[in-house]
Amino acid sequence: MLPIPNERKLSDYISKSAIIDNSTLEKQIRVAILSSFTLNGIEETLRVKCFELKVRCRTYVSRYNQYNQDILDPKSDLYKFLPDISLLMIDTRSILKNLFYTPYSVSSEERQKYIDNRARELLTLVKTFTKRSNSKLIINNFNIPTYSPYGICEVKVEYGLKQMIEDLNSKLKSLLRSEPTVYIYDFNAFVTKYGEGNVFDYRQFLVGDIKVALNYLPYLAEDWMAYIKPTLGLNRKCIVLDLDNTLWGGIVGEDGYEGIELGPKAPGAAFVEFQRHLLSLYQRGVVLAINSKNNPEDALKVIRKHPYMVLREENFASLRINWNDKITNMREIAEELNIGLDSIVYFDDDPVNRELMLKIFPEILTVDLPNDPSLYAPILMSLNDFDVLKLTEEDTKRGQMYAQQRKRIELEKTSTNLDDYLSQLGIRVTVKKADEFTIPRIAQLVLKTNQFNLTTRRYQEEDIMKFSKEESMLVACAQVEDKFGDNGITGAYIIKKDSPLEWTIDTFLLSCRVMGRGVEEAIMGFILKAAKKEGVVTVKGQYIPTKKNKACEQFLGNLGFKKEGQNWIYSLHDNLIKIPSYMELKSE
Amino acid sequence: MSVKLYDLIARVMQVPISKIDDTSGPETIERWDSFQKLILLYDLEAAFEIKFTLDEVLSINTVADIKRNLLNHGVLLDG
């Protein structure tokens, strides 16, 4: 059985791509496809998959086996196309040439030398590309053939056929690890997942040099979407779960604490397995929440006490266990966690609930769960929506941070007023310059922040890297801590120094996680003080309204910026810069 | 079964069913190139649960060829 249900046929994608109109879509991505073999049909599939995410995908496909020329020629159409993402696909046969068939016609030393040379050539090719293009480059590793002419003795041969490929893969990995814009696509895992006999069809190979069978191209395209989604900030960060028949089998309100299915034996083991994979996602930073119609006492007893429950109360950032409708609960979860509905993935066994959720909140990814809990874990693992291009410290600590957030909310409830609450929090803000450690996180914030974002300008990590090196620009971020813990880097700004007397705030944003605690005033105060110190007279800000950034509409006005046409102007002569008194502000 | 066959051809080649007859092929259908033919054959294999041989894949050029080869695999078409 294939792990992704409902993947369509290649012909469906090709037919659909001919009739879709993506010209009006706001989000765009330019994808270049470079390959050593025929990949016809993949661009149509990517276009449709992007269209379904409301993204206009423009494609460039290099001519048959012309990837080398395209990369080496600085004037090639590839570079003129200005791709955002480039996918370079080279197959094992092309890299090994005759040695694929007759590896043992040469000595093991020669085989090693051959692989060393291929690895070096690939590295040169990759470096040539990254020097000439700002595009991300995704290069595949090589699938290890299952066949060897030595058969069962293959394992006894020194540096045999399989070891050649393994070595090439590991060399690629270590050579490219430090290239910030290069990613290795694990094609060998793709072949393992779907089977060599399925992915490689001899008839298609012999007739048209097709080395990924046509019926598997949609699966390959889906794997590539894992790179496209985070490039556009379309990755998701929260899983909302139902309880009965989703986290355990049966209905706790009817079957009772002892009657539910959850334990080492099937079918209860299916739910344990699902929960274990959820826990692993939690540990890597995916936020978990519950949306369940249940008696809270019944459900909480299971969550707190059941011996085979893997996920416990502290793993959930929000628990909505009540008799309210699921739509209201979902809206409240999004509000409580301060995340967009488009960041949520929803698991519920009940098709009626799923249909309702799809209808009311189409932006939520409602997973089409089959009526078979043994498939819950593989379906969860097949989702590529949680992928990020770089795992930052903030990502891995997110679950913990949301648990701290629950404690902050409790303090807020017991405080008599806002000032009292804020001063008790003991907020510390540290402004940090953009560097190799902070830039991945700044890029993440720039791509994803919607609510407190004055201009919503989206830049890729490579752009931010470039800005940070320019003398006429200032890129920085802010780490926010308080007595409950570290919120991580949750604010960022980009300043353009137009002249010695004037600065423009190109980008100013704050993660919704720390909004409304004076952090935004403190960071802006820091910028204004820095401007004054350098003798700047005016600082120019902008508020570009979007559907989502109403939260910062009044921000510049409240701080003393005066509206002049499209801009907000702050005169450093006339104004005193204020920083909230309850806050500790420093810079590194 | 002819209906199913014609439906498939119409969908893959993006032509109305009324435009398809035994002589249809690369000469009469614009999208019918060697690549779209492979896609069509794959869809036919999935729909009729058969597998064409390499010779069959190479020799099929028209709808009449498809019908003949389907028959070789025991697929009975009416009309």
Side-chain angles (χ1 to χ4, degrees), chain A residues 9-12 14-15 18 38 40-41 201 203-204 206-208 210 214-215, chain B residues 8 11-12 14 31 35-36 38-39 42-43 45-46 51-54 57-58:
Chain A
K9 287 186 292 199
L10 181 64
S11 58
D12 294 336
I14 294 180
S15 309
T38 314
N40 289 20
D201 179 318
R203 293 168 311 163
Q204 295 181 15
L206 295 169
V207 172
I210 294 167
L214 298 175
N215 32 336
Chain B
L8 267 171
R11 206 173 44 78
V12 174
Q14 289 169 43
R31 283 184 70 89
F35 177 67
Q36 286 297 122
L38 278 180
I39 291 183
Y42 160 66
D43 280 6
E45 288 187 339
K51 206 128 200 142
F52 292 116
T53 65
L54 178 64
V57 171
L58 293 169

Side-chain angles (χ1 to χ4, degrees), chain A residues 86 88 122-123 125-127 129-131 133-140 172-173 175-185 227 389-390 462:
Chain A
S86 302
L88 174 56
L122 284 172
L123 181 68
L125 197 66
V126 166
K127 289 219 161 169
F129 179 83
T130 52
K131 223 180 278 165
S133 173
N134 279 333
S135 162
K136 293 186 174 63
L137 179 68
I138 322 296
I139 177 173
N140 64 291
L172 270 185
K173 203 171 160 183
L175 288 171
L176 298 177
R177 190 177 285 134
S178 56
E179 293 286 322
T181 57
V182 182
Y183 299 83
I184 295 180
Y185 167 57
Y227 300 95
L389 292 167
K390 257 194 203 120
E462 299 80 66

Side-chain angles (χ1 to χ4, degrees), chain A residues 108 138 161 167 169 175 179 188 201 312 328 346 352 368 407 429 463 502 509 529 568-569:
Chain A
S108 71
I138 322 296
L161 174 64
D167 190 31
N169 285 347
L175 288 171
E179 293 286 322
N188 190 46
D201 179 318
R312 297 292 184 188
T328 308
Y346 177 50
V352 178
D368 194 14
K407 288 188 192 148
V429 177
D463 302 319
E502 185 184 277
L509 59 84
K529 276 190 170 171
W568 289 85
I569 307 292

Side-chain angles (χ1 to χ4, degrees), chain A residues 275-292:
Chain A
Q275 288 200 29
R276 284 180 172 152
H277 285 287
L278 285 165
L279 181 67
S280 75
L281 284 174
Y282 164 84
Q283 282 167 352
R284 103 108 174 81
V286 174
V287 177
L288 304 179
I290 292 173
N291 181 353
S292 164

Side-chain angles (χ1 to χ4, degrees), chain A residues 521-562:
Chain A
E521 285 86 1
I523 300 173
M524 187 59 89
F526 180 85
I527 296 174
L528 295 173
K529 276 190 170 171
K532 196 165 189 169
K533 210 171 147 192
E534 286 201 20
V536 172
V537 178
T538 49
V539 174
K540 210 159 78 183
Q542 261 185 317
Y543 168 72
I544 304 175
T546 67
K547 274 186 209 150
K548 292 179 176 171
N549 71 349
K550 206 150 176 65
C552 56
E553 193 180 11
Q554 312 292 333
F555 177 63
L556 293 171
N558 288 346
L559 282 183
F561 282 76
K562 297 271 177 295

Side-chain angles (χ1 to χ4, degrees), chain B residues 19-37:
Chain B
K19 288 265 163 80
I20 303 169
D21 60 27
D22 278 0
T23 64
S24 299
E27 307 288 315
T28 58
I29 294 176
E30 200 194 327
R31 283 184 70 89
W32 189 312
D33 57 18
S34 56
F35 177 67
Q36 286 297 122
K37 183 185 90 172

Side-chain angles (χ1 to χ4, degrees), chain A residues 111 123 150 170 278 389 394 396 407 468 493 503 512 570:
Chain A
R111 289 197 291 274
L123 181 68
Y150 274 25
S170 97
L278 285 165
L389 292 167
E394 280 72 14
T396 52
K407 288 188 192 148
S468 71
Y493 60 82
W503 284 7
C512 44
Y570 192 91

